[in-house]
């Protein structure tokens, strides 16, 4: 009261800070509103006093009412900047929690947001919601052309309270029961009007196809996500230590997220680790790279060029004579030759054996053609390597290939190959040209990614003659395994590396082919056998194992060529092709990861004198192994 | 349904039984190989069962006859139990002279399902307790395998062993980060339970109800888990590990033969327990491997199982004779593994790495 002394504030006013500090007396708030003259009693009170007609709330008269409460002031209910008509909002509470809806307008009286699903997309009707219960997304729909019915206001959405009448004494107060909410026809009509307009607006949006699914889906928080960080890009950091870049690639081998540069670096480091830990090369060696133009051999050549191993590298390519496949891939090899500045030698089946694959397939049909291709390619690579004076041959076999081969050898019962197929370098114990696989632990997916990241050009198509190879089953299994547990590919390789053959298991003895002197456990090597069959029209020679009459009659075995118990099938099963889609066909056929033997190899190897000579001219005259049609061929050393 | 209707593929061939002149109406996985009449088929399968044990002289030369059959309610377990019961009833000189004990195993932690399974086990147990058979049995949850020394009180009042360990069992399985790891842990628990129960009971031999088809699928999944070196012993007919002999008498018998024999001999109604085993979880190596083998057989590669088992029998651990063994699975520890501070084989080490609670893993599964 003016003139009155200020009330004494107690020393402990902190305890009740608002009570005394902000009392109307202390603040001496001015009177507001209309006043009236009121008569007061008492002879000494002056008879009348001016009083405010509407005093307002007794406590805190100046505190503004929340705009969210009905009767609040729209002018003071500010919308967040991110909420504009057409914005897609995520509802955080209530019956429609998690749904994505479209904001239409702010209701005048309450300041609440009017939203709709549309109903057809996510079953959310027209309703009001406070902005505190929504997250505004960046997605906006152009609703400028949408005309909302004028009756959509706060009164429209106000809950209608049923009038309760006083119950008479003795009457059951629960007799009326619970009144269910019923959607009025007006509401249905308005919903339809609004949704039709909204859907029309959505259809005009170029992302309509995705918006339908987006609006129909629910929002949720995943592990590692935080609401306050939503809408802010959260890049995943590269997992390489000391690298601050964002990760763009996930390594297939270990699942680590890495940036592009670290991916390339780590891939090359892995290959280098494989080479150095196994002492794969010696400086000064002349090494042939089996190049098909596919991704594996391309990446192999590129990676080996990148690191100085002190090697003389030569590209060696084999032309099987498959039109529409190999002739195109050889163009890729030619490009590799120019880009990597490596010498290139191409050998063809036609020159070496007198038969191209097209001619062979025309003769034998589309069955067992991979048998021929694989056997011939293996020999062709060795011949070419010896011809070039190379001491080692490297191929682009990757972890997926080796895992498939382990599985195949297990399934076909070829334990001899199983033992050696995981060796990083085969043939080092003498008698054959050593073959190395530097990409042994590199995943196929990583190889593809490496090629793409480094913009390496390679040939990518499936061999036209290899649709139904047995290896496809193994490949399919490996792919499914990789999806479930990527590490399993390396685990299969580890399993293969850890096995050995029991001593009591009889193994074939390695010798030399009586015609071409190539390594063989039989009198004639597989290549000579196959060519003999081609030349004498005995197409089953070398491709099918003969079933004994007794066993076939007894068991009625009709498993032609497949492993069968009744025949005591043991020998290396007919070679398999596997020029599957995706990559180079170098030596992929016929379990070409191992030794050079035409059939099974052995631990008991005789020392072989095996000289590389120029065999090409001889081959042209004598067809491959030097066998002519009457079978009495001269030996050819190659 | 007559016997001829049980195997339409064999009946359709219209051939005679390979052992007698009767019409051949039943066969194994590949009807083209051999068809049998009903009595010859039954005899063939039973002979395979007994010869698997006989030719390895498991019970000969003074060896202990006490045997523990791990019964999990599967058709293979039903066949094995059927053979045990039959052997107790036989009076001729060819009687299978063993002293069996049956261990009914429980895998589920769902109380309702466990109740149904226990009820079925009780019914089977009642049959085993009949005069003239008298085969003792116990029931145990896989969680009991966590006990280092299983205590076998005569009457503890508990319906089954391992009730107190279920909480740790569930916690350990939940801590595994992949379904493959969980599947593998469940398999390990089964082995540990069987071995520890047998040791506690003073039994030296354990029959595992694994058919040839199961074992061929195991080969593929073991290779996919890095167990290549140990696969040969893990699928062999007889294997010494964890202080006991694991026997797999159905090594040469396929699922089809088991199913047919169970139907012909009535073992399916008497002993099979539906829903007793957890199905293979999706997105696990075990399921992918099982589907792969099934697919190959459907595609006509019917010799897949026999070839896998035969080739696996020819391989051994390439690291040489083991001197130390993994403290969880008992497999030989390789040279590399010996350097590991925890002395685990490679697959168990990988399993441990996939456990988010490694301390719990070490405490629960340590030797």
């Amino acid at each position: 009261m003016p003139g009155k002394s200020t009330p004494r504030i107690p020393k402990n006013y902190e305890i009740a800070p608002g009570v005394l500090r902000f009392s109307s007396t202390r603040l001496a708030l001015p009177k507001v509103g209309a006043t009236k003259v009121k008569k007061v009693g008492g002879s000494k009170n002056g008879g009348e006093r001016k009083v405010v007609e509407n005093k307002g709330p007794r406590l805190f008269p100046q505190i503004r009412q929340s705009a969210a409460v009905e009767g609040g002031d729209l002018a003071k209910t500010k919308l967040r900047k991110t909420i504009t008509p057409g914005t897609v909002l995520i509802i955080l509470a209530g019956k429609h929690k998690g749904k994505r809806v479209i904001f239409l307008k702010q209701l005048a009286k309450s300041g609440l947001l009017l939203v709709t699903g549309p109903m057809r997309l996510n079953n959310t009707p027209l309703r009001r919601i406070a902005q505190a219960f929504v997250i505004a997304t960046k997605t906006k729909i152009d609703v400028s052309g949408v005309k909302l019915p004028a009756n959509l206001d706060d009164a429209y959405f106000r809950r209608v309270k049923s009038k309760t009448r006083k119950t008479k004494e003795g009457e059951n107060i629960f007799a009326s029961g619970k009144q269910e909410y019923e959607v009025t026809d007006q509401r249905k009509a308005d919903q339809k009007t609004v949704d039709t307009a909204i859907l029309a607006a959505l259809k005009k949006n170029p992302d309509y196809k995705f918006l339908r699914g987006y609006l129909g889906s629910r929002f949720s928080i995943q592990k590692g996500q935080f609401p306050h960080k939503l809408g802010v890009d959260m890049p995943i950091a590269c997992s390489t230590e000391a690298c601050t870049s964002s990760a763009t690639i996930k390594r297939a081998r270990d699942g680590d997220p890495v940036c592009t540069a670290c991916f390339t670096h780590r891939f090359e480091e892995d290959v280098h680790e494989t080479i150095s830990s196994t002492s794969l090369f010696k400086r000064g060696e002349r090494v042939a790279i089996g190049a098909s133009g596919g991704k594996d051999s391309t990446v192999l050549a590129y990676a080996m060029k990148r690191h100085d191993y002190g090697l003389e590298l030569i590209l060696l390519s084999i032309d099987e004579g498959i039109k529409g496949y190999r002739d195109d891939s050889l163009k890729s090899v030619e490009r590799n030759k120019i880009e990597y500045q490596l010498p290139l030698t191409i050998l063809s089946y036609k020159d070496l054996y007198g038969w191209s694959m097209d001619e062979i397939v025309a003769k034998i049909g589309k069955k067992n053609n991979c048998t021929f291709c694989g056997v011939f390619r293996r020999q062709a690579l060795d011949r070419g390597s010896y011809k070039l004076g190379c001491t080692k041959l490297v191929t682009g076999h990757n972890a997926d290939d080796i895992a498939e081969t382990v599985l195949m050898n297990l399934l076909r019962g070829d334990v001899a190959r199983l033992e050696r197929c995981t060796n990083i370098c085969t043939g080092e114990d003498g008698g054959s040209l050593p073959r190395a696989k530097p990409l042994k632990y590199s995943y196929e997916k990583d190889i593809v990614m490496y090629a793409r990241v480094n913009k390496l050009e390679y040939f990518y198509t499936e061999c036209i003659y290899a649709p139904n190879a047995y290896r496809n089953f193994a490949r399919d299994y490996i792919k499914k395994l990789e999806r479930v547990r990527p590490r399993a590919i390396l685990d299969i390789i580890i399993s293969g590396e850890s096995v050995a053959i029991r001593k009591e298991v009889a193994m074939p003895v390695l010798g030399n082919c009586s015609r071409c002197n190539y390594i063989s456990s039989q009198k004639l090597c597989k290549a000579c056998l196959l060519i003999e069959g081609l030349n004498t029209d005995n197409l089953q020679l070398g491709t099918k194992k003969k079933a004994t009459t007794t066993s076939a009659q007894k068991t009625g075995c009709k498993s032609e060529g497949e492993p069968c118990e009744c025949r005591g099938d043991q020998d290396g099963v007919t070679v398999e092709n596997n020029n599957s889609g995706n990559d180079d066909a170098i030596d992929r056929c016929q379990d070409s990861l191992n030794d050079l033997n035409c059939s099974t190899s052995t631990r008991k190897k005789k020392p072989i004198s095996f000289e590389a000579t120029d065999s090409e001219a001889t081959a042209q005259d004598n067809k491959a192994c030097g066998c002519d049609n009457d079978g009495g061929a001269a030996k050819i050393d190659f | 349904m007559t016997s001829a209707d049980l195997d339409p593929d064999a009946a359709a061939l219209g051939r005679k039984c390979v052992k007698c002149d009767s019409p051949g109406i039943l066969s194994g996985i590949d009807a083209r190989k051999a068809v049998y009449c009903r009595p010859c088929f039954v005899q063939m399968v039973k002979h395979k069962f007994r010869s698997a044990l006989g030719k390895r002289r498991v019970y000969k030369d003074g060896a202990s006859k006490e045997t523990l059959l791990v019964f999990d309610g599967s058709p293979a377990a039903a066949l094995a139990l059927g053979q045990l019961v039959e052997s107790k009833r036989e009076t001729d000189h060819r009687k299978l002279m063993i002293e069996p004990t049956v261990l009914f195993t429980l895998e589920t932690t769902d109380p309702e399902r466990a109740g149904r399974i226990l009820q079925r086990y009780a019914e089977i147990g009642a049959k085993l307790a009949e005069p003239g058979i008298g085969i003792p049995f116990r029931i145990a949850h896989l969680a009991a395998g966590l006990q280092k020394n299983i205590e076998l009180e005569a009457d503890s009042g508990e319906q089954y062993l391992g009730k107190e360990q279920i909480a740790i069992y569930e916690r350990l399985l939940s801590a595994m980060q992949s379904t493959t790891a969980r599947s593998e842990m469940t398999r390990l628990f089964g082995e540990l339970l069987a071995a520890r129960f047998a040791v506690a009971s003073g039994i030296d031999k354990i029959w595992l109800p694994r058919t040839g088809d199961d074992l061929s699928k195991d080969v593929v999944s073991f290779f996919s888990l890095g167990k290549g070196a140990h696969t040969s012993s893990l699928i062999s007919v007889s294997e010494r590990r964890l202080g006991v002999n694991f026997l797999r008498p159905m090594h040469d018998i396929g699922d089809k033969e088991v199913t047919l024999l169970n139907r012909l001999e009535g073992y399916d109604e008497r002993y099979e327990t539906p829903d007793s085993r957890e199905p293979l979880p999706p997105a696990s190596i075990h399921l992918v491997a099982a589907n792969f083998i099934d697919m190959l057989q459907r595609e006509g590669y019917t010799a897949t199982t026999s070839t896998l088992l035969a080739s696996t029998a020819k391989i051994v651990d390439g690291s040489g004779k083991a001197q130390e063994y993994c403290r969880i699975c008992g497999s030989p520890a390789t040279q590399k593994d010996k350097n590991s501070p925890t002395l685990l084989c490679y697959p168990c080490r990988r399993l441990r790495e996939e456990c988010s609670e490694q301390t719990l893993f070490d405490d629960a599964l340590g030797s």
Side-chain angles (χ1 to χ4, degrees), chain A residues 485 487 491 498 502 555 565, chain B residues 32 306 313 318 346 350 354:
Chain A
R485 190 183 172 91
R487 172 77 202 191
D491 283 341
S498 66
R502 287 183 190 274
T555 66
E565 285 179 20
Chain B
R32 294 173 304 180
S306 53
Y346 171 77
R350 298 275 305 141
E354 285 198 54

Side-chain angles (χ1 to χ4, degrees), chain A residues 33-178:
Chain A
T35 58
K36 63 179 181 183
V37 175
K38 189 178 173 184
K39 284 189 179 173
V40 294
S43 58
K44 297 179 182 176
N45 292 330
E48 60 184 29
R49 199 160 293 164
K50 272 187 187 175
V51 293
V52 177
E53 275 185 338
N54 183 10
K55 280 186 183 176
R58 187 167 168 234
L59 297 174
F60 305 109
Q62 293 300 311
I63 291 175
R64 191 180 68 213
Q65 287 180 6
S66 168
V69 173
E70 195 167 327
D73 189 350
L74 172 63
K76 294 180 182 173
T77 308
K78 285 184 183 175
L79 270 185
R80 297 203 296 265
K81 287 179 192 174
T82 51
I83 300 178
T84 56
T87 303
V88 174
L89 307 175
I90 298 168
I91 299 177
L92 297 175
K95 186 181 171 187
H96 300 280
K97 184 165 57 178
K99 288 188 183 176
R100 294 180 169 98
V101 296
I102 298 175
F103 170 63
L104 299 174
K105 70 173 185 180
Q106 188 182 22
L107 294 173
K109 203 171 179 185
S110 62
L112 298 173
L113 313 179
L114 177 65
V115 298
T116 183
M119 185 96 175
R120 216 169 113 193
L121 294 184
N122 54 25
N123 217 30
T124 310
L126 281 162
R127 59 187 290 122
R128 304 184 289 179
I129 190 163
Q131 61 179 318
F133 301 123
V134 299
I135 292 178
T137 69
K138 288 181 183 174
T139 307
K140 294 188 192 307
I141 311 296
D142 182 10
V143 294
S144 54
V146 174
K147 285 182 184 172
L148 297 172
N151 57 340
L152 293 179
D153 54 14
D154 283 298
Y156 183 87
F157 293 99
R158 190 173 179 176
R159 276 189 196 172
V160 177
K161 287 183 184 175
S162 59
K163 289 181 181 174
T164 54
R165 60 180 180 83
K166 285 185 181 175
T167 53
K168 293 174 185 173
E169 200 167 313
E171 193 179 353
N172 185 2
I173 61 174
F174 299 111
S176 59
K178 192 178 176 183

